[in-house]
Amino acid sequence: MQILLNINDSCSDYAVASSLRLFYDIFKMVSIIIPIILIISVIVSLVKLMINPDDKKGLPGIYRKVIAALLIFLLPNSITTVVNIYNSGSNDTNTVFNVLTCFQSSKKTAESITAAIYKEGAGTEKGSGLTGMFGDLSGLSQYTGSSSVAGEGAQKLINIAIGEIGNNEADKTHEKYAISMGNPTDWAWCAMFVTWCSKQAGFIDSGIMPEYQHCSVGISFYQGKNEFHLASSGYTPKPGDIAFYGDGGNDHTGIVEKVDANYIYTIEGNTTCEGETASLCKGTHGVSRKTRPRVGWVYGYGSPAY
């Protein structure tokens, strides 16, 4: 399994993310402490001015300190606002904004990676040097990619999705799917889960599958390649197909694992957990196997040319 940020691959490194989180916490602390010091200095200057009203020389300095305190205090929120506006309106890889995004999201990235590490059983013993700060990093070798996942084509995608079953909102192991697309982690994430699995399999880079955070984008991609099939057409879905649900297919999406005459058996993100994952999700949404009737809520299927 890979914790991957397409905005900057280095952000997905455990030590880097943890270091950035420390620096970001210090940065936010400084942005509070310095304004407090400046305001105290302003108060002292005002008291002196009250004692000696005729001494107006210190007024420009008071104004500058108030403005500086305000700007420094607002700086963290300003970075967040700028990054969110930029990422919502651009798909390019501007280096400055990639660094700012990585820095600004470092806390949630570190939490998400840590949760995934503990879930998968990476080492946690303390050591010296880098391992003294972050624990035993030897177990992180499993987070360098999904190229070693068994299977080819549709089966590889399914195997990657199987490895994610149980990730959920309760322990924040779901956040990497939104983070991988530079999105807020409280967004609906079913499509981002499918996208994440597709990336790990290499199917987005090869043009076989789309990168999408809204179902309509995924549907349009498959329609453009003549690979979309309405459920009402009598099409028989196949393992590895991408199911789209609801009105126009815009409500939900998931990966078809297997099929029989009446049902599709899927792996989906941002869904109520069933079966073996019900207890893991602690009442929240997560990644789970689902059983869906082939006739009804299913709108259609994207059928990638694996």
Side-chain angles (χ1 to χ4, degrees):
M1 182 173 63
Q2 181 185 24
I3 311 296
L4 176 68
L5 290 176
N6 68 344
I7 51 174
N8 189 332
D9 288 350
S10 65
C11 299
S12 64
D13 181 86
Y14 183 37
V16 171
S18 298
S19 298
L20 284 175
R21 177 182 180 177
L22 174 62
F23 292 137
Y24 189 66
D25 287 343
I26 293 173
F27 168 67
K28 291 186 71 173
M29 188 180 303
V30 168
S31 70
I32 293 174
I33 292 174
I34 291 180
I36 290 175
I37 293 173
L38 289 172
I39 293 301
I40 291 174
S41 176
V42 167
I43 292 173
V44 171
S45 298
L46 288 174
V47 170
K48 290 181 179 179
L49 189 60
M50 292 173 64
I51 294 173
N52 186 10
D54 294 331
D55 186 5
K56 307 291 185 182
K57 295 180 180 179
L59 281 176
I62 292 175
Y63 296 146
R64 285 194 295 269
K65 289 177 182 177
V66 170
I67 293 173
L70 183 62
L71 291 176
I72 294 172
F73 181 74
L74 293 176
L75 187 57
N77 288 334
S78 299
I79 290 177
T80 299
T81 300
V82 170
V83 166
N84 287 342
I85 292 174
Y86 182 82
N87 285 334
S88 66
S90 175
N91 291 320
D92 65 27
T93 54
N94 182 281
T95 301
V96 173
F97 284 97
N98 284 348
V99 171
L100 287 177
T101 302
C102 185
F103 186 54
Q104 180 261 333
S105 64
S106 58
K107 180 176 180 179
K108 286 188 176 295
T109 305
E111 289 174 350
S112 180
I113 294 173
T114 300
I117 290 168
Y118 277 87
K119 179 177 181 293
E120 296 295 328
T124 56
E125 294 297 322
K126 294 293 181 181
S128 58
L130 189 61
T131 58
M133 295 174 64
F134 305 113
D136 177 12
L137 302 183
S138 60
L140 290 178
S141 59
Q142 61 187 299
Y143 300 100
T144 57
S146 296
S147 59
S148 61
V149 172
E152 296 182 359
Q155 193 57 52
K156 182 170 186 177
L157 178 71
I158 291 168
N159 289 343
I160 290 170
I162 289 172
E164 300 301 300
I165 291 174
N167 286 348
N168 63 85
E169 295 175 356
D171 60 19
K172 300 185 184 303
T173 45
H174 76 296
E175 290 185 341
K176 63 181 178 180
Y177 309 124
I179 290 172
S180 72
M181 298 186 73
N183 288 328
T185 54
D186 58 351
W187 282 18
W189 51 278
C190 60
M192 291 183 278
F193 164 71
V194 175
T195 293
W196 188 92
C197 293
S198 305
K199 285 181 181 177
Q200 308 314 299
F203 296 145
I204 290 180
D205 288 342
S206 63
I208 294 174
M209 300 181 73
E211 179 174 345
Y212 68 107
Q213 59 191 18
H214 301 293
C215 294
S216 59
V217 175
I219 292 172
S220 295
F221 175 89
Y222 292 114
Q223 287 175 333
K225 295 170 72 71
N226 293 318
E227 295 170 355
F228 188 79
H229 310 276
L230 291 172
S232 60
S233 69
Y235 169 76
T236 300
K238 306 184 301 293
D241 279 1
I242 307 303
F244 295 88
Y245 305 97
D247 184 20
N250 290 313
D251 290 356
H252 189 55
T253 186
I255 299 169
V256 176
E257 183 179 11
K258 56 185 179 179
V259 179
D260 65 24
N262 299 311
Y263 298 96
I264 57 171
Y265 302 87
T266 61
I267 302 172
E268 301 171 9
N270 193 25
T271 189
T272 53
C273 296
E274 297 178 357
E276 73 273 24
T277 56
S279 60
L280 293 175
C281 293
K282 305 176 181 67
T284 60
H285 283 187
V287 179
S288 178
R289 284 187 166 100
K290 305 288 285 189
T291 301
R292 308 280 193 189
R294 285 176 55 177
V295 177
W297 195 38
V298 182
Y299 174 74
Y301 304 91
S303 186
Y306 294 111

